[in-house]
Amino acid sequence: IVGKKVAFATANGINAMACVGEKLEERESGETSTVIFRQLKAIADQISDWSKVVIAYEPVWAIGTGKVATPAQAQETHAEIRKWLHDFVSPEVAESTRILYGGSVNAANSKELAELGPDIDGFLVGGASLKGPDFIKIDCPDLRLISRGKVRDIYEVDESSLLFVATDRLSAFDVVMKNGIPGKGQILTQISAFWFEFLKETVKTHIITTDFNKIKNQNVQKYRSQLEGRSMLVKKLKILPVEAIIRGYIAGSGWAEYSKQGTICEIELPAGLKLCEKLPTPLFTPSTKAEIGNHDENIHPNKCTIIFDKN
């Protein structure tokens, strides 16, 4: 029946996802390959054009049983499916057909599943895959968490150094969103690393290294899979809670203030400027650095001195 449905769909220009999988007793008796090959043959007997077909391996035995296929088991079965396509359909179909994993994919196993081998081409999205916060969570219980901001976490490495970790959390207007952007933390860290390296002869910084291999602390290294590419080892220094912002154009909160009173950070500007217009000269427009849950506030440059004196 499944084979005929796939044939009908593809013949009418509809892409089809053909699911194959074995029951618990079939897995435990070593019949996985026999069952899946029989299912694949039923499809192959009905179609000749595989360009509109995606195969999904769904271990039926893992549905509602409390059992979960390991990444190694998933890869092994995917490899057998691809080999069957190679041997009984064609090498071209084996290479071009996407084979998705339809088991319980979650934050704990998705990375290993994706990296394990060439035969897992993607995942079916189910309930476990929809828990967005789990996929961006950084959890390093053997490191002392000093601070958790909107995007970055700070851990103590030793008496003189800290680990800055850029997470994939997404923040807008001082609100942390429920879901993040995978890989965002690595990109932020690469941008920071570039500029710190570019300006190292001009400005002294807190950076010790952004090379994870040069961080020798074993408690840090044990979390390599979570931290590599998104971490900076830095000197432990006293924070001056001011964000230094240089504006070349009038936009954002600067435009909002200018629209009301003709100033940015209480600095008077010529009348008649338009949104996103280039400023007559670049401006130093600092803001406070608020705790999470509070808003940063734009301040006049002269107020920096008062904040610095207090700190």
Side-chain angles (χ1 to χ4, degrees):
I1 294 176
V2 172
K4 290 180 179 179
K5 287 183 176 181
V6 171
F8 181 83
T10 56
N12 287 276
I14 301 173
N15 291 355
M17 182 176 294
C19 296
V20 298
E22 79 282 30
K23 297 177 182 178
L24 179 59
E25 59 269 23
E26 293 166 338
R27 159 65 66 169
E28 291 180 341
S29 62
E31 297 180 77
T32 294
S33 298
T34 301
V35 172
I36 290 176
F37 293 167
R38 184 172 66 242
Q39 295 167 345
L40 290 171
K41 185 177 185 304
I43 298 167
D45 286 346
Q46 298 291 330
I47 67 171
S48 57
D49 180 9
W50 286 78
S51 64
K52 293 183 173 63
V53 178
V54 174
I55 295 173
Y57 168 55
E58 292 198 77
V60 180
W61 54 271
I63 300 174
T65 63
K67 298 178 182 291
V68 180
T70 66
Q73 287 173 324
Q75 165 58 22
E76 179 183 31
T77 304
H78 278 239
E80 289 179 346
I81 292 171
R82 201 174 301 280
K83 186 177 186 305
W84 189 94
L85 292 174
H86 179 281
D87 294 345
F88 295 98
V89 182
S90 75
E92 293 75 22
V93 168
E95 183 177 353
S96 62
T97 299
R98 286 182 296 154
I99 307 173
L100 308 185
Y101 179 59
S104 183
V105 179
N106 53 50
N109 64 13
S110 60
K111 187 175 184 349
E112 187 177 0
L113 281 166
E115 295 177 347
L116 194 57
D119 298 301
I120 300 176
D121 297 319
F123 313 118
L124 294 185
V125 176
S129 309
L130 295 175
K131 298 176 181 178
D134 289 349
F135 283 84
I136 61 171
K137 184 179 180 181
I138 300 292
D139 185 24
C140 305
D142 290 332
L143 292 175
R144 183 186 170 209
L145 180 66
I146 300 294
S147 174
R148 175 160 284 156
K150 287 167 280 192
V151 174
R152 288 176 173 82
D153 294 344
I154 302 176
Y155 294 94
E156 184 178 66
V157 177
D158 53 40
E159 292 183 356
S160 60
S161 63
L162 301 170
L163 192 71
F164 282 8
V165 180
T167 73
D168 293 336
R169 294 194 294 269
L170 178 62
S171 167
F173 299 103
D174 299 315
V175 175
V176 179
M177 307 301 176
K178 182 177 180 180
N179 295 324
I181 301 176
K184 173 176 175 276
Q186 285 97 328
I187 294 172
L188 289 177
T189 301
Q190 289 175 38
I191 293 172
S192 297
F194 169 83
W195 285 109
F196 284 129
E197 176 66 22
F198 186 79
L199 296 170
K200 68 180 181 180
E201 302 300 330
T202 306
V203 180
K204 290 183 178 180
T205 72
H206 57 316
I207 296 295
I208 298 174
T209 184
T210 59
D211 184 346
F212 200 80
N213 291 321
K214 293 181 179 179
I215 302 175
K216 302 305 181 183
N217 184 282
Q218 292 303 307
N219 281 340
V220 174
Q221 287 294 329
K222 72 167 64 174
Y223 300 113
R224 175 182 286 267
S225 63
Q226 296 186 63
L227 301 177
E228 188 172 19
R230 61 173 74 247
S231 303
M232 300 188 296
L233 186 68
V234 303
K235 301 170 187 174
K236 187 183 288 186
L237 302 172
K238 186 172 180 61
I239 295 174
L240 299 176
V242 170
E243 182 171 350
I245 302 168
I246 309 299
R247 296 179 189 267
Y249 294 80
I250 184 167
S253 61
W255 170 253
E257 180 183 330
Y258 176 80
S259 300
K260 292 178 180 178
Q261 55 197 51
T263 63
I264 298 180
C265 291
E266 303 176 17
I267 302 170
E268 299 241 1
L269 292 173
L273 295 177
K274 295 180 173 56
L275 177 63
C276 296
E277 183 174 343
K278 187 174 183 179
L279 294 169
T281 184
L283 294 180
F284 173 52
T285 58
S287 74
T288 60
K289 286 302 295 177
E291 295 295 326
I292 190 167
N294 297 320
H295 294 286
D296 297 343
E297 294 182 7
N298 294 340
I299 57 175
H300 190 281
N302 290 345
K303 292 182 179 178
C304 290
T305 304
I306 299 173
I307 293 174
F308 293 162
D309 286 345
K310 288 181 179 179
N311 286 271

